[in-house]
Amino acid sequence: MTRIKIDGVDKAYRQMNGTNLRVLNNVDFETEENDFLCILGPSGCGKSTLLNIIAQLEEPSSGSVSIGSEASPTDVCFVFQEPRLLDWRTVRENIEFALDGKDIPKDEWDERIETYLELVGLDDFANEYPRSLSGGMQQRVSIARAMAVEPDVILMDEPFSSVDEITARNLRSDLVDIWKEQKRTIVFVTHDAIEATFLANRVLVMSHRPSNVLVHEKIDIDRP
Ligand code: ADP
Ligand code: ADP
């Protein structure tokens, strides 16, 4: 039952030379319940800025964003482009820290940790520290950590860019399966149109314009 609503969002960054860089211009859209939305566009067009505003990690210059309803608070997890694990905690402890933060009952922890580490192919690495894993493996842990919370909304910013292509392919399929099974809202930033069309049921296309105006379209993809 989670909708994301973006209402007339503008974003401008103050640049070194004192001028403003307009990145988002009057962005207006609303997701349907349980959309898998891909935000697609070329590098530098403002995808991360828009995702960060949805995550409330950044303030829009004007306009507003809402997720879910005030009546029922919405759990949101963010998967960044880089892993952002806690280096002094093991893989298991990293996931436990997230579960604890979201008040997931302790008797569910083991099963969730097992399920989602297996999903990303790292069930044998629960007791390792992040620095003993490759960059791609660390990123898979950060994906498992977000999944284990089973949040209403998962926001992902090019999460597979450091993951090798074969693993990424498997993870994309798993992500679609999880989305279908568990009915959650996923917002996924990518510059890769093939990735977007594989994953999403709705794609928001952003493009550069001379005036930095954002063009956005919704394309509903019919998927069985
Ligand atoms: P994308 O995710 O599509 O690659 P971004 O949202 O990261 O694009 O960036 C959009 C534009 O805003 C880029 O030109 C970038 O340099 C600029 N930008 C992003 N964050 C900041 C910031 N904190 N300060 C100034 N400019 C920024
Ligand atoms: P990166 O591309 O960042 O180096 P990868 O995820 O491709 O990271 O992993 C690099 C190496 O780590 C693999 O070639 C493999 O030796 C080892 N590795 C990755 N996943 C596993 C796994 N599930 N079990 C055992 N070794 C693994």
Side-chain angles (χ1 to χ4, degrees):
M1 305 298 114
T2 304
R3 287 217 175 99
I4 298 173
K5 197 164 185 296
I6 308 280
D7 224 356
V9 162
D10 291 318
K11 182 70 183 181
Y13 289 113
R14 174 71 86 183
Q15 293 182 290
M16 301 286 258
N17 65 11
T19 61
N20 280 338
L21 176 71
R22 274 181 90 76
V23 178
L24 303 177
N25 187 33
N26 196 23
V27 183
D28 252 323
F29 75 89
E30 200 171 332
T31 64
E32 300 295 318
E33 279 166 19
N34 308 316
D35 262 347
F36 196 141
L37 175 78
C38 274
I39 299 175
L40 172 68
S43 180
C45 73
K47 302 182 296 298
S48 296
T49 299
L50 181 57
L51 192 71
N52 291 341
I53 288 173
I54 292 171
Q56 295 170 20
L57 297 171
E58 279 187 60
E59 286 263 359
S61 307
S62 62
S64 66
V65 175
S66 67
I67 302 185
S69 64
E70 276 181 25
S72 56
T74 309
D75 259 343
V76 180
C77 281
F78 201 112
V79 179
F80 296 92
Q81 213 168 334
E82 71 292 338
R84 301 201 187 184
L85 301 176
L86 304 170
D87 286 334
W88 63 95
R89 293 176 192 262
T90 64
V91 165
R92 167 185 297 282
E93 288 163 354
N94 266 276
I95 301 174
E96 285 176 350
F97 187 71
L99 296 175
D100 200 25
K102 298 286 187 181
D103 287 329
I104 310 292
K106 273 211 165 100
D107 58 0
E108 291 181 26
W109 287 13
D110 282 349
E111 196 190 327
R112 291 205 192 190
I113 291 168
E114 208 170 293
T115 302
Y116 291 99
L117 278 182
E118 197 179 322
L119 184 87
V120 300
L122 294 177
D123 36 334
D124 291 339
F125 294 82
N127 298 317
E128 303 288 336
Y129 285 89
R131 71 177 146 277
S132 69
L133 306 179
S134 73
M137 291 162 86
Q138 290 182 34
Q139 182 62 4
R140 280 143 67 191
V141 173
S142 80
I143 292 166
R145 178 176 59 181
M147 299 280 188
V149 169
E150 302 188 345
D152 306 305
V153 180
I154 305 180
L155 306 176
M156 307 180 101
D157 193 352
E158 309 221 18
F160 302 142
S161 56
S162 67
V163 176
D164 72 279
E165 186 47 33
I166 292 174
T167 306
R169 232 180 258 191
N170 290 330
L171 289 175
R172 283 185 203 106
S173 305
D174 293 336
L175 194 58
V176 171
D177 289 345
I178 284 176
W179 171 69
K180 284 184 180 166
E181 267 170 38
Q182 301 183 349
K183 289 279 168 241
R184 40 191 95 264
T185 296
I186 300 178
V187 182
F188 188 108
V189 161
T190 180
H191 61 263
D192 180 347
I194 294 172
E195 184 171 49
T197 46
F198 177 79
L199 291 171
N201 74 318
R202 195 179 296 273
V203 179
L204 190 142
V205 182
M206 295 174 69
S207 69
H208 273 306
R209 313 237 85 195
S211 56
N212 277 320
V213 172
L214 173 78
V215 176
H216 56 96
E217 288 169 17
K218 292 184 213 171
I219 306 166
D220 283 313
I221 299 164
D222 203 10
R223 206 176 28 210

